[in-house]
Amino acid sequence: MTLFTDLGLAEPVIRAVTAESYTTPTPIQSQSIPIILEGHDLVGIAQTGTGKTAAFVLPLLHRLAEKRTNPGARGCRTLILAPTRELANQIAESARVYGKFIRPSVAVVIGGAKPGPQARQMMPGVDILVATPGRLLDHVSTGAIRLDGTDTIILDEADQMLDLGFMPAIRKIMSMLPGRRQAIMFSATMPKPIRALAAEFLRNPREVAVSVESKPIDRIDQRVMLLTGDQKKDALVTLMKESGVERAIVFTRTKHGADKVCRHLEAANIGASAIHGNKSQSQRERALDQFRQGRIKVLVATDIAARGIDVDGISHVVNFELPNIPESYVHRIGRTARAGTDGVAVSFVEPAELTYLRDIERLIGKQLIPGGAVPVRGLNPPHLTRGQNQRGGGGQNRNAAAQKPGHSRPQSRNHAAPARGRSDGGRAAGRVS
């Protein structure tokens, strides 16, 4: 069994990890950290929830402990690109927590926040800059940030940045970096455009893949409910009142839809809050804090806002609407079943969404409705006509009683850390995940 002490990390990094009661790295960490320490470019492929953040944060901190160089005014030694504000903030907090004996200078540059304070914190230069691509380019264009002294670039959640249309911005940013630098890319999936990006900007990269590409983990109990559109809201209320639902994220495709679902839950006396791109940064942080502290039971989110949600103990994920990009399904349901725990993912599927369901099934290699719909207690059994539910010769719907999930989640703490498993890995005894 590999321990953190076996990976060659500097003593202050090991001391910080040990202070958090972690001893055993996850597979992505044990395989990636030595490669990064050796200076190789890296492509890391791992499911959401496997500890990707710590896999790159810890070797960055090791380098700072070994050799501290001045990044220069308005510059950064390491640049980390993330697709969402929440993920950027989580990465920065991870660097601070696990760098507490090194005290790295860390800056966050994201949209939805005032640019002035961001520019001022960059004036002396920083060890680590975590940024979303659009806001970073804004600051580069005004001269508030320089990239000519950056020696390490990390792209986190690269597939999500592709989905959000960030590839032109990323190519522009990469072209501004010095020719000699280390490039690291982490992603839950590796579609062809991401592989092409890696081939374009990474030099002879090593590849680490610790799970089957685009496959949800086995501990997630995946269920499908066949409903009409007007049944979904009542089905959601009934489901959220089940005794096994402790903390849930509900996904919608649109911001407006998230607000409507949130209002419906609140009208049913179920504590809920919505998080999406139209919310200010303070509103998003307040909603996450309420969810993390258990003051609300349900967080209603869009895909863009969901990356980087840093919360323990999510027992259920509900796809109120199926995503039209099948990879997003894998990312969504990966919010549950962290750190060796079990979780439940329920998808509400109306007739118009059956095409999306079939795309998801092809991606994950699993049939999600092998013969029938799953009813919610308290509702009339949901149904579709036999023709609507026919799937390559599939049979008629049959109603199966919804099972209560079993949970054996470890006791958790609510402060952020790189591998505590909220956004990129759950807290397990003795593991940074």
Side-chain angles (χ1 to χ4, degrees):
M1 180 179 64
T2 301
L3 304 176
F4 279 107
T5 52
D6 300 325
L7 298 180
L9 292 166
E11 186 276 335
V13 178
I14 294 295
R15 190 163 21 122
V17 171
T18 303
E20 298 297 316
S21 300
Y22 297 120
T23 58
T24 307
T26 65
I28 190 66
Q29 293 161 2
S30 62
Q31 295 180 50
S32 298
I33 289 173
I35 294 173
I36 296 173
L37 291 178
E38 291 170 0
H40 299 289
D41 285 6
L42 173 70
V43 173
I45 307 169
Q47 298 285 330
T48 299
T50 55
K52 287 179 287 184
T53 299
F56 61 79
V57 165
L58 296 182
L60 293 179
L61 295 170
H62 166 89
R63 288 183 183 171
L64 289 175
E66 293 290 298
K67 185 179 180 181
R68 202 81 169 254
T69 58
N70 188 342
R74 305 187 305 282
C76 63
R77 185 172 177 185
T78 295
L79 171 63
I80 303 172
L81 295 179
T84 66
R85 311 169 197 173
E86 286 74 26
L87 183 54
N89 280 322
Q90 180 202 333
I91 293 168
E93 182 61 17
S94 298
R96 295 184 183 106
V97 169
Y98 282 84
K100 60 185 175 183
F101 299 118
I102 301 169
R103 300 179 64 86
S105 53
V106 182
V108 178
V109 167
I110 55 176
K114 294 180 179 179
Q118 295 176 353
R120 286 192 290 274
Q121 69 177 336
M122 287 299 302
M123 288 181 66
V126 296
D127 295 316
I128 299 172
L129 170 61
V130 190
T132 50
R135 178 54 65 89
L136 175 63
L137 284 178
D138 290 342
H139 282 298
V140 171
S141 68
T142 65
I145 294 177
R146 296 176 54 183
L147 301 178
D148 55 342
T150 302
D151 57 32
T152 305
I153 171 71
I154 296 168
L155 305 180
D156 195 19
E157 302 284 14
D159 50 353
Q160 180 72 351
M161 288 196 274
L162 171 68
D163 293 342
L164 295 176
F166 285 140
M167 284 302 107
I170 290 172
R171 282 191 164 87
K172 188 172 182 180
I173 291 166
M174 296 293 285
S175 69
M176 298 175 179
L177 299 171
R180 297 188 62 182
R181 38 70 179 151
Q182 184 179 25
I184 298 162
M185 178 185 295
F186 279 94
S187 186
T189 61
M190 197 59 58
K192 289 181 179 179
I194 296 299
R195 288 203 176 274
L197 185 75
E200 183 177 354
F201 291 109
L202 276 63
R203 297 176 179 83
N204 301 316
R206 305 287 181 87
E207 183 170 308
V208 172
V210 299
S211 59
V212 179
E213 188 172 323
S214 301
K215 299 294 191 297
I217 61 176
D218 293 336
R219 293 189 307 275
I220 301 176
D221 178 7
Q222 300 176 71
R223 307 174 186 175
V224 168
M225 293 181 56
L226 302 175
L227 301 165
T228 60
D230 56 5
Q231 287 180 308
K232 286 188 176 184
K233 288 182 180 178
D234 289 339
L236 181 62
V237 168
T238 302
L239 179 63
M240 291 299 99
K241 290 182 178 180
E242 293 278 342
S243 60
V245 180
E246 301 172 14
R247 182 175 287 161
I249 298 180
V250 177
F251 284 98
T252 63
R253 278 199 298 270
T254 67
K255 305 166 189 174
H256 178 63
D259 289 333
K260 287 178 65 176
V261 169
C262 186
R263 288 194 294 269
H264 189 79
L265 289 170
E266 289 177 324
N269 295 317
I270 297 172
S273 188
I275 178 171
H276 53 67
N278 283 354
K279 301 286 187 179
S280 68
Q281 187 64 20
S282 61
Q283 288 174 319
R284 290 161 72 148
E285 290 175 356
R286 183 164 58 250
L288 281 171
D289 285 343
Q290 291 175 333
F291 188 55
R292 188 176 293 118
Q293 295 166 15
R295 286 183 284 162
I296 58 174
K297 184 177 185 177
V298 183
L299 192 68
V300 187
T302 58
D303 288 305
I304 292 176
R307 287 295 180 99
I309 289 178
D310 185 23
V311 179
D312 283 327
I314 295 171
S315 64
H316 286 66
V317 170
V318 179
N319 292 300
F320 188 83
E321 297 163 317
L322 282 185
N324 56 2
I325 299 172
E327 288 84 1
S328 294
Y329 173 83
V330 177
H331 299 319
R332 287 181 178 189
I333 70 172
R335 300 300 99 196
T336 188
R338 305 285 187 150
T341 67
D342 297 323
V344 178
V346 181
S347 297
F348 294 171
V349 182
E350 59 185 281
E353 295 175 306
L354 284 173
T355 299
Y356 299 154
L357 180 63
R358 293 183 183 112
D359 289 341
I360 290 167
E361 289 177 327
R362 278 193 291 269
L363 178 72
I364 67 175
K366 180 178 182 178
Q367 193 175 30
L368 295 177
I369 49 170
V374 179
V376 175
R377 287 196 292 277
L379 288 180
N380 292 326
H383 66 278
L384 297 174
T385 67
R386 180 173 183 176
Q388 288 170 316
N389 191 36
Q390 211 148 23
R391 312 181 32 69
Q396 286 180 295
N397 294 331
R398 68 173 182 265
N399 297 323
Q403 299 176 351
K404 289 185 180 180
H407 299 289
S408 58
R409 296 183 293 105
Q411 191 175 13
S412 60
R413 290 171 289 182
N414 286 332
H415 59 282
R420 268 211 198 13
R422 304 178 180 128
S423 160
D424 78 339
R427 186 186 190 287
R431 293 184 10 149
V432 178
S433 55

